[in-house]
Protein backbone atom coordinates (compact mmCIF):
# COMPACT_ATOMS: atom_id res chain seq x y z
CA UNK A 1 0.00 0.00 0.00
CA UNK A 2 2.76 2.38 1.05
CA UNK A 3 4.51 1.65 -2.25
CA UNK A 4 1.35 2.46 -4.21
CA UNK A 5 0.90 5.76 -2.40
CA UNK A 6 4.52 6.68 -2.99
CA UNK A 7 4.16 5.82 -6.69
CA UNK A 8 1.00 7.94 -6.97
CA UNK A 9 2.72 10.87 -5.26
CA UNK A 10 5.70 10.47 -7.56
CA UNK A 11 3.48 10.50 -10.65
CA UNK A 12 1.67 13.58 -9.33
CA UNK A 13 4.98 15.31 -8.64
CA UNK A 14 6.31 14.57 -12.14
CA UNK A 15 3.04 15.80 -13.64
CA UNK A 16 3.22 19.06 -11.66
CA UNK A 17 6.84 19.69 -12.57
CA UNK A 18 6.19 19.12 -16.26
CA UNK A 19 3.04 21.28 -16.14
CA UNK A 20 5.11 24.06 -14.57
CA UNK A 21 7.74 23.65 -17.27
CA UNK A 22 5.05 23.97 -19.95
CA UNK A 23 3.85 27.09 -18.21
CA UNK A 24 7.34 28.54 -18.47
CA UNK A 25 7.42 27.67 -22.18
CA UNK A 26 4.10 29.32 -22.61
CA UNK A 27 5.03 32.65 -21.03
CA UNK A 28 2.86 35.06 -22.95
CA UNK A 29 4.62 37.91 -24.70
CA UNK A 30 1.68 40.29 -24.60
CA UNK A 31 1.51 39.92 -20.81
CA UNK A 32 5.23 40.46 -20.44
CA UNK A 33 4.93 43.64 -22.52
CA UNK A 34 1.62 44.86 -21.15
CA UNK A 35 3.16 47.96 -19.56
CA UNK A 36 5.34 48.79 -22.56
CA UNK A 37 3.73 48.60 -26.00
CA UNK A 38 1.59 46.46 -28.30
CA UNK A 39 3.39 43.32 -29.44
CA UNK A 40 2.31 42.48 -32.94
CA UNK A 41 2.70 40.07 -35.81
CA UNK A 42 1.97 40.28 -39.49
CA UNK A 43 -0.45 37.60 -40.59
CA UNK A 44 -1.91 36.56 -43.87
CA UNK A 45 -4.81 34.34 -44.85
CA UNK A 46 -2.57 31.25 -44.77
CA UNK A 47 -0.84 31.83 -41.45
CA UNK A 48 -4.26 32.34 -39.94
CA UNK A 49 -4.94 28.65 -40.68
CA UNK A 50 -1.40 27.35 -40.27
CA UNK A 51 -0.29 28.63 -36.91
CA UNK A 52 -1.21 27.25 -33.52
CA UNK A 53 -3.50 29.30 -31.33
CA UNK A 54 -0.92 29.03 -28.51
CA UNK A 55 1.59 30.88 -30.65
CA UNK A 56 -0.88 33.53 -31.75
CA UNK A 57 -2.00 34.10 -28.15
CA UNK A 58 1.34 35.79 -27.52
CA UNK A 59 0.38 38.86 -29.48
CA UNK A 60 -1.84 41.86 -28.92
CA UNK A 61 -1.72 43.36 -32.41
CA UNK A 62 -2.10 42.20 -36.01
CA UNK A 63 -1.02 43.70 -39.32
CA UNK A 64 -2.43 42.16 -42.48
CA UNK A 65 0.60 41.21 -44.55
CA UNK A 66 -1.15 41.72 -47.90
CA UNK A 67 -4.88 41.66 -47.34
CA UNK A 68 -5.38 45.41 -46.96
CA UNK A 69 -3.13 46.43 -49.84
CA UNK A 70 -4.70 48.07 -52.86
CA UNK A 71 -4.24 45.08 -55.20
CA UNK A 72 -6.07 42.84 -52.71
CA UNK A 73 -8.87 45.27 -51.86
CA UNK A 74 -9.61 46.97 -55.20
CA UNK A 75 -8.02 44.87 -57.96
CA UNK A 76 -10.16 46.48 -60.65
CA UNK A 77 -11.76 49.89 -60.50
CA UNK A 78 -14.76 50.04 -58.22
CA UNK A 79 -14.68 46.31 -57.34
CA UNK A 80 -13.86 46.03 -53.68
CA UNK A 81 -13.02 42.59 -52.27
CA UNK A 82 -12.96 42.31 -48.52
CA UNK A 83 -13.13 38.56 -47.85
CA UNK A 84 -9.53 38.06 -46.66
CA UNK A 85 -9.23 41.42 -44.92
CA UNK A 86 -12.48 40.73 -43.06
CA UNK A 87 -11.25 37.29 -41.98
CA UNK A 88 -8.12 38.79 -40.39
CA UNK A 89 -9.91 41.70 -38.79
CA UNK A 90 -12.58 39.38 -37.41
CA UNK A 91 -9.92 37.05 -36.07
CA UNK A 92 -8.26 40.00 -34.33
CA UNK A 93 -11.53 41.17 -32.83
CA UNK A 94 -12.40 37.74 -31.57
CA UNK A 95 -9.00 37.48 -29.92
CA UNK A 96 -8.95 40.93 -28.46
CA UNK A 97 -6.13 42.17 -30.68
CA UNK A 98 -5.76 45.63 -32.19
CA UNK A 99 -5.22 46.00 -35.94
CA UNK A 100 -2.67 48.19 -37.75
CA UNK A 101 -3.95 49.06 -41.22
CA UNK A 102 -1.34 48.64 -43.92
CA UNK A 103 -1.42 50.49 -46.32
CA UNK A 104 -3.36 53.10 -48.33
CA UNK A 105 -0.88 54.83 -50.62
CA UNK A 106 2.06 52.82 -51.99
CA UNK A 107 3.77 52.38 -55.35
CA UNK A 108 3.93 48.59 -55.00
CA UNK A 109 1.16 45.98 -54.88
CA UNK A 110 -1.06 48.59 -56.48
CA UNK A 111 -2.68 47.67 -59.81
CA UNK A 112 -1.51 49.62 -62.86
CA UNK A 113 -5.01 50.92 -63.66
CA UNK A 114 -4.72 53.15 -60.60
CA UNK A 115 -1.95 55.20 -62.21
CA UNK A 116 -3.38 55.30 -65.73
CA UNK A 117 -4.81 58.58 -67.01
CA UNK A 118 -5.94 59.71 -70.43
CA UNK A 119 -3.00 61.03 -72.45
CA UNK A 120 -5.13 63.73 -73.99
CA UNK A 121 -6.26 65.05 -70.61
CA UNK A 122 -4.80 68.26 -69.23
CA UNK A 123 -2.68 68.12 -66.08
CA UNK A 124 -5.64 69.37 -64.10
CA UNK A 125 -7.96 66.68 -65.47
CA UNK A 126 -5.42 63.97 -64.77
CA UNK A 127 -5.02 65.17 -61.19
CA UNK A 128 -8.76 65.16 -60.75
CA UNK A 129 -8.87 61.48 -61.73
CA UNK A 130 -5.96 60.52 -59.46
CA UNK A 131 -7.27 62.40 -56.42
CA UNK A 132 -10.74 60.93 -56.96
CA UNK A 133 -9.31 57.39 -57.10
CA UNK A 134 -7.39 57.81 -53.87
CA UNK A 135 -10.39 59.40 -52.18
CA UNK A 136 -12.80 56.70 -53.21
CA UNK A 137 -10.36 53.97 -52.12
CA UNK A 138 -9.78 55.59 -48.75
CA UNK A 139 -13.46 56.34 -48.20
CA UNK A 140 -14.41 52.72 -48.78
CA UNK A 141 -11.55 51.09 -46.88
CA UNK A 142 -11.25 53.44 -43.90
CA UNK A 143 -15.04 53.63 -43.77
CA UNK A 144 -15.43 49.87 -43.59
CA UNK A 145 -12.87 49.40 -40.80
CA UNK A 146 -13.53 52.58 -38.88
CA UNK A 147 -14.26 50.82 -35.61
CA UNK A 148 -11.67 48.09 -36.04
CA UNK A 149 -8.43 49.61 -37.29
CA UNK A 150 -6.72 51.99 -34.89
CA UNK A 151 -3.64 52.94 -36.92
CA UNK A 152 -3.28 53.45 -40.65
CA UNK A 153 0.01 53.44 -42.51
CA UNK A 154 -1.40 56.15 -44.76
CA UNK A 155 1.69 56.26 -46.96
CA UNK A 156 4.37 53.62 -47.40
CA UNK A 157 7.88 53.95 -48.85
CA UNK A 158 7.63 57.23 -50.75
CA UNK A 159 11.22 58.29 -49.95
CA UNK A 160 14.03 57.60 -52.36
CA UNK A 161 16.95 55.38 -51.28
CA UNK A 162 19.26 57.54 -53.22
CA UNK A 163 20.47 60.95 -52.05
CA UNK A 164 20.22 62.38 -55.57
CA UNK A 165 16.46 62.56 -55.37
CA UNK A 166 14.02 63.22 -52.56
CA UNK A 167 10.86 61.28 -53.34
CA UNK A 168 11.04 57.95 -55.12
CA UNK A 169 10.76 59.06 -58.75
CA UNK A 170 9.92 55.56 -60.01
CA UNK A 171 6.66 55.46 -58.04
CA UNK A 172 3.55 55.11 -60.17
CA UNK A 173 1.87 57.83 -58.11
CA UNK A 174 4.82 60.21 -58.50
CA UNK A 175 4.97 59.89 -62.28
CA UNK A 176 1.19 59.91 -62.74
CA UNK A 177 1.05 63.20 -60.83
CA UNK A 178 3.57 64.80 -63.21
CA UNK A 179 6.91 63.91 -61.60
CA UNK A 180 7.39 66.98 -59.45
CA UNK A 181 8.07 67.02 -55.73
CA UNK A 182 5.53 69.79 -55.18
CA UNK A 183 2.69 67.92 -56.86
CA UNK A 184 3.52 64.76 -54.97
CA UNK A 185 3.80 66.55 -51.64
CA UNK A 186 0.37 68.14 -52.15
CA UNK A 187 -1.04 64.70 -52.88
CA UNK A 188 0.50 63.19 -49.74
CA UNK A 189 -0.75 66.07 -47.61
CA UNK A 190 -4.21 65.56 -49.06
CA UNK A 191 -4.07 61.82 -48.24
CA UNK A 192 -3.38 62.48 -44.55
CA UNK A 193 -6.02 65.22 -44.29
CA UNK A 194 -8.59 63.01 -45.98
CA UNK A 195 -7.74 60.04 -43.75
CA UNK A 196 -8.24 62.20 -40.66
CA UNK A 197 -11.60 63.37 -41.95
CA UNK A 198 -12.69 59.81 -42.59
CA UNK A 199 -11.71 58.56 -39.14
CA UNK A 200 -10.79 61.15 -36.58
CA UNK A 201 -9.88 58.44 -34.05
CA UNK A 202 -7.35 56.54 -36.12
CA UNK A 203 -3.66 57.34 -35.74
CA UNK A 204 -2.03 58.19 -39.05
CA UNK A 205 1.49 56.97 -39.81
CA UNK A 206 4.19 57.27 -42.43
CA UNK A 207 6.04 53.94 -42.86
CA UNK A 208 9.37 53.15 -44.53
CA UNK A 209 12.41 50.84 -44.55
CA UNK A 210 16.05 51.58 -43.72
CA UNK A 211 15.14 54.44 -41.39
CA UNK A 212 17.46 52.87 -38.84
CA UNK A 213 20.27 51.61 -41.05
CA UNK A 214 20.49 54.56 -43.46
CA UNK A 215 20.95 57.89 -41.70
CA UNK A 216 20.76 59.80 -45.00
CA UNK A 217 17.36 58.37 -45.87
CA UNK A 218 16.27 59.02 -42.31
CA UNK A 219 17.29 62.68 -42.50
CA UNK A 220 15.30 63.10 -45.72
CA UNK A 221 12.32 61.42 -44.10
CA UNK A 222 12.47 63.75 -41.10
CA UNK A 223 12.48 66.69 -43.52
CA UNK A 224 9.56 65.26 -45.46
CA UNK A 225 7.47 64.80 -42.32
CA UNK A 226 8.35 68.33 -41.18
CA UNK A 227 7.23 69.66 -44.58
CA UNK A 228 4.01 67.66 -44.58
CA UNK A 229 3.10 68.72 -41.06
CA UNK A 230 3.83 72.35 -41.98
CA UNK A 231 1.50 71.93 -44.95
CA UNK A 232 -1.28 70.75 -42.63
CA UNK A 233 -0.94 66.94 -42.78
CA UNK A 234 -2.03 65.31 -39.52
CA UNK A 235 0.82 62.83 -38.97
CA UNK A 236 0.74 60.97 -35.67
CA UNK A 237 3.60 58.59 -36.13
CA UNK A 238 6.39 57.09 -38.13
CA UNK A 239 6.86 53.37 -38.77
CA UNK A 240 10.39 51.96 -38.84
CA UNK A 241 10.00 48.75 -40.81
CA UNK A 242 13.25 47.21 -39.48
CA UNK A 243 13.95 44.37 -41.85
CA UNK A 244 17.44 43.95 -40.40
CA UNK A 245 20.25 41.49 -39.76
CA UNK A 246 22.12 40.74 -36.56
CA UNK A 247 24.52 43.67 -37.02
CA UNK A 248 21.86 46.09 -35.80
CA UNK A 249 23.08 47.93 -32.68
CA UNK A 250 21.28 49.66 -29.84
CA UNK A 251 22.94 52.92 -30.85
CA UNK A 252 21.67 52.72 -34.42
CA UNK A 253 18.09 52.32 -33.18
CA UNK A 254 18.42 54.95 -30.47
CA UNK A 255 19.89 57.47 -32.94
CA UNK A 256 16.95 56.90 -35.25
CA UNK A 257 14.44 57.41 -32.46
CA UNK A 258 16.24 60.57 -31.32
CA UNK A 259 16.20 62.07 -34.81
CA UNK A 260 12.38 62.08 -34.80
CA UNK A 261 12.02 63.29 -31.18
CA UNK A 262 11.48 66.98 -31.98
CA UNK A 263 8.45 66.07 -34.11
CA UNK A 264 6.61 64.78 -31.06
CA UNK A 265 5.09 61.83 -32.90
CA UNK A 266 4.83 58.15 -32.02
CA UNK A 267 7.18 55.50 -33.36
CA UNK A 268 6.20 51.96 -34.25
CA UNK A 269 8.59 49.19 -35.27
CA UNK A 270 6.28 47.87 -37.94
CA UNK A 271 7.95 44.99 -39.81
CA UNK A 272 10.74 43.56 -37.68
CA UNK A 273 12.58 40.50 -38.90
CA UNK A 274 16.22 39.53 -38.34
CA UNK A 275 17.69 37.81 -41.37
CA UNK A 276 20.13 34.96 -40.78
CA UNK A 277 22.34 36.27 -43.59
CA UNK A 278 24.44 39.37 -44.11
CA UNK A 279 25.05 38.96 -47.84
CA UNK A 280 23.42 37.47 -50.92
CA UNK A 281 25.25 34.12 -50.93
CA UNK A 282 23.16 31.01 -50.72
CA UNK A 283 24.97 28.32 -48.72
CA UNK A 284 22.02 25.96 -49.29
CA UNK A 285 21.37 25.40 -45.60
CA UNK A 286 18.43 23.27 -44.54
CA UNK A 287 18.45 24.61 -41.04
CA UNK A 288 20.00 27.61 -39.33
CA UNK A 289 23.40 27.21 -37.65
CA UNK A 290 23.56 27.68 -33.91
CA UNK A 291 25.72 30.74 -34.46
CA UNK A 292 23.01 32.28 -36.64
CA UNK A 293 20.40 31.68 -33.99
CA UNK A 294 22.46 33.08 -31.20
CA UNK A 295 23.40 36.21 -33.20
CA UNK A 296 19.75 36.62 -34.05
CA UNK A 297 18.70 36.31 -30.43
CA UNK A 298 21.23 39.01 -29.48
CA UNK A 299 19.74 41.27 -32.14
CA UNK A 300 16.14 40.68 -31.05
CA UNK A 301 17.17 41.33 -27.48
CA UNK A 302 18.70 44.68 -28.47
CA UNK A 303 15.68 45.72 -30.54
CA UNK A 304 13.15 45.04 -27.78
CA UNK A 305 15.44 46.57 -25.16
CA UNK A 306 15.66 49.88 -27.02
CA UNK A 307 11.92 49.74 -27.62
CA UNK A 308 11.31 49.24 -23.88
CA UNK A 309 13.73 52.02 -22.98
CA UNK A 310 11.73 54.35 -25.25
CA UNK A 311 8.25 53.08 -24.55
CA UNK A 312 7.03 56.65 -24.06
CA UNK A 313 7.27 57.02 -27.87
CA UNK A 314 7.57 53.45 -29.17
CA UNK A 315 3.98 52.29 -28.89
CA UNK A 316 4.00 49.11 -30.97
CA UNK A 317 6.54 46.51 -32.14
CA UNK A 318 5.43 44.11 -34.86
CA UNK A 319 7.35 41.11 -36.19
CA UNK A 320 6.86 40.56 -39.92
CA UNK A 321 5.54 37.01 -39.79
CA UNK A 322 4.84 34.37 -37.19
CA UNK A 323 6.76 31.10 -37.67
CA UNK A 324 9.83 30.41 -39.80
CA UNK A 325 7.88 28.02 -42.03
CA UNK A 326 6.64 31.07 -43.88
CA UNK A 327 8.58 34.29 -44.42
CA UNK A 328 8.91 36.68 -47.36
CA UNK A 329 12.70 36.42 -46.86
CA UNK A 330 12.65 32.92 -48.43
CA UNK A 331 12.40 34.73 -51.73
CA UNK A 332 14.06 38.07 -51.01
CA UNK A 333 16.73 39.18 -51.71
CA UNK A 334 17.74 35.68 -52.86
CA UNK A 335 15.05 33.58 -54.49
CA UNK A 336 14.80 30.13 -52.90
CA UNK A 337 17.24 30.73 -50.04
CA UNK A 338 15.63 29.49 -46.86
CA UNK A 339 15.72 32.06 -44.07
CA UNK A 340 14.64 31.82 -40.41
CA UNK A 341 14.08 35.41 -39.31
CA UNK A 342 11.17 35.12 -36.84
CA UNK A 343 10.51 34.32 -33.18
CA UNK A 344 9.11 30.81 -33.70
CA UNK A 345 10.81 28.01 -35.64
CA UNK A 346 9.37 26.17 -38.64
CA UNK A 347 7.33 23.95 -36.32
CA UNK A 348 6.01 26.83 -34.25
CA UNK A 349 8.35 26.24 -31.27
CA UNK A 350 9.66 29.35 -29.52
CA UNK A 351 13.26 30.14 -30.48
CA UNK A 352 16.09 31.52 -28.38
CA UNK A 353 15.07 34.97 -29.67
CA UNK A 354 11.61 34.53 -28.16
CA UNK A 355 12.95 33.60 -24.73
CA UNK A 356 15.43 36.46 -24.78
CA UNK A 357 12.76 39.10 -25.38
CA UNK A 358 10.55 37.51 -22.71
CA UNK A 359 13.21 37.53 -20.05
CA UNK A 360 14.66 40.87 -19.10
CA UNK A 361 15.43 42.90 -16.02
CA UNK A 362 13.09 45.85 -15.54
C1 LIG B 1 7.63 46.12 -47.38
C2 LIG B 1 6.15 46.40 -47.24
C3 LIG B 1 5.42 45.25 -46.62
C4 LIG B 1 5.86 43.93 -47.23
C5 LIG B 1 7.34 43.78 -47.10
C6 LIG B 1 7.79 42.47 -47.67
O1 LIG B 1 8.35 46.25 -46.25
O2 LIG B 1 5.87 47.55 -46.48
O3 LIG B 1 4.05 45.42 -46.83
O4 LIG B 1 5.46 43.85 -48.55
O5 LIG B 1 7.92 44.83 -47.83
O6 LIG B 1 7.02 41.42 -47.28
Amino acid sequence: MKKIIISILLVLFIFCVSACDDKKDMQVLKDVYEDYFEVGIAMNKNTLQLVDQDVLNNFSSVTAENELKWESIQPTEGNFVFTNADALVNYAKKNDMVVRGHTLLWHSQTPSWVFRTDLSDTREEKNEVLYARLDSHMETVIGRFKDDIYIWDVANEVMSDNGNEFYRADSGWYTALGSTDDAFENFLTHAFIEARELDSNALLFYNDYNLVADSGKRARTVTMIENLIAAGAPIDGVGFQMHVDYRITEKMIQDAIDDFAHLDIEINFTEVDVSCYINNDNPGLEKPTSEMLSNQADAYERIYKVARDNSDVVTSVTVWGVIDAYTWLDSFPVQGRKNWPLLFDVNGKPKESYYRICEFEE
Side-chain angles (χ1 to χ4, degrees):
M1 187 62 183
K2 206 171 163 196
K3 258 193 182 160
I4 294 178
I5 292 177
I6 288 176
S7 308
I8 291 174
L9 284 175
L10 200 63
V11 168
L12 274 176
F13 176 74
I14 290 171
F15 176 78
C16 278
V17 167
S18 75
C20 286
D21 261 8
D22 278 356
K23 260 253 147 39
K24 179 169 179 278
D25 281 349
M26 290 324 300
Q27 191 173 16
V28 174
L29 211 51
K30 71 180 171 205
D31 295 342
V32 175
Y33 278 87
E34 199 181 4
D35 295 335
Y36 292 93
F37 40 76
E38 302 291 350
V39 278
I41 33 167
M43 284 173 71
N44 60 46
K45 60 181 187 337
N46 300 325
T47 45
L48 192 57
Q49 316 297 332
L50 191 95
V51 178
D52 239 39
Q53 190 64 35
D54 280 350
V55 170
L56 297 176
N57 281 343
N58 277 283
F59 300 97
S60 62
S61 168
V62 172
T63 305
E65 187 175 349
N66 295 304
E67 289 68 9
L68 282 163
K69 292 174 179 170
W70 197 308
E71 70 176 7
S72 310
I73 292 277
Q74 195 186 177
T76 56
E77 188 151 20
N79 297 315
F80 289 86
V81 184
F82 285 111
T83 327
N84 294 328
D86 282 351
L88 278 174
V89 170
N90 289 336
Y91 171 85
K93 280 207 284 194
K94 226 187 275 155
N95 289 279
D96 222 5
M97 296 161 103
V98 292
V99 184
R100 293 191 87 266
H102 175 79
T103 175
L104 297 164
L105 192 168
W106 191 25
H107 63 279
S108 180
Q109 292 185 264
T110 302
S112 52
W113 66 261
V114 177
F115 308 126
R116 214 171 294 134
T117 50
D118 202 324
L119 281 180
S120 60
D121 278 354
T122 61
R123 182 69 265 155
E124 213 170 290
E125 287 164 339
K126 286 180 183 163
N127 280 5
E128 223 169 88
V129 170
L130 295 163
Y131 275 72
R133 278 187 191 142
L134 180 74
D135 287 356
S136 119
H137 187 77
M138 294 210 308
E139 260 165 51
T140 312
V141 183
I142 297 182
R144 184 177 185 95
F145 296 110
K146 212 171 154 113
D147 299 326
D148 305 324
I149 290 187
Y150 85 118
I151 289 181
W152 276 105
D153 288 334
V154 174
N156 195 35
E157 301 180 351
V158 305
M159 294 312 294
S160 166
D161 290 327
N162 148 4
N164 298 330
E165 60 188 27
F166 192 69
Y167 289 115
R168 180 190 271 275
D170 63 357
S171 151
W173 284 116
Y174 188 88
T175 48
L177 287 157
S179 293
T180 70
D181 285 3
D182 280 352
F184 190 64
E185 188 160 299
N186 289 340
F187 192 66
L188 280 177
T189 307
H190 171 83
F192 278 95
I193 291 174
E194 184 72 9
R196 172 65 23 102
E197 268 173 25
L198 291 165
D199 185 353
S200 57
N201 292 321
L203 296 172
L204 308 179
F205 272 60
Y206 175 69
N207 190 51
D208 213 329
Y209 60 89
N210 276 355
L211 297 184
V212 171
D214 180 345
S215 57
K217 180 169 180 175
R218 179 165 76 240
R220 292 192 293 281
T221 305
V222 169
T223 304
M224 175 195 69
I225 295 181
E226 284 169 354
N227 292 347
L228 291 179
I229 290 176
I235 300 184
D236 302 304
V238 58
F240 298 176
Q241 292 186 3
M242 297 190 59
H243 299 290
V244 298
D245 63 54
Y246 74 86
R247 295 170 299 179
I248 185 103
T249 66
E250 285 182 33
K251 180 172 185 315
M252 285 160 74
I253 310 171
Q254 189 63 56
D255 285 352
I257 293 173
D258 292 346
D259 282 355
F260 286 91
H262 66 288
L263 293 170
D264 201 18
I265 56 177
E266 292 185 18
I267 292 172
N268 285 180
F269 297 172
T270 52
E271 306 184 16
V272 178
D273 45 25
V274 181
S275 172
C276 285
Y277 304 96
I278 54 171
N279 57 37
N280 289 348
D281 297 345
N282 184 358
L285 297 177
E286 282 175 5
K287 57 184 180 76
T289 66
S290 52
E291 191 188 359
M292 282 173 167
L293 293 178
S294 116
N295 284 338
Q296 182 179 66
D298 290 344
Y300 267 109
E301 187 175 331
R302 292 193 289 269
I303 293 168
Y304 279 74
K305 175 176 188 311
V306 178
R308 287 194 306 274
D309 289 349
N310 293 273
S311 61
D312 52 332
V313 287
V314 177
T315 51
S316 170
V317 175
T318 291
V319 177
W320 201 246
V322 195
I323 69 173
D324 282 339
Y326 168 78
T327 159
W328 75 295
L329 291 176
D330 287 349
S331 50
F332 182 88
V334 179
Q335 184 64 42
R337 179 179 69 175
K338 181 67 197 140
N339 209 328
W340 301 272
L342 303 171
L343 296 173
F344 294 85
D345 73 10
V346 289
N347 299 312
K349 281 237 182 65
K351 292 162 67 180
E352 175 68 16
S353 297
Y354 170 88
Y355 291 113
R356 295 272 284 280
I357 64 173
C358 272
E359 287 154 17
F360 55 85
E361 312 245 313
E362 301 243 359

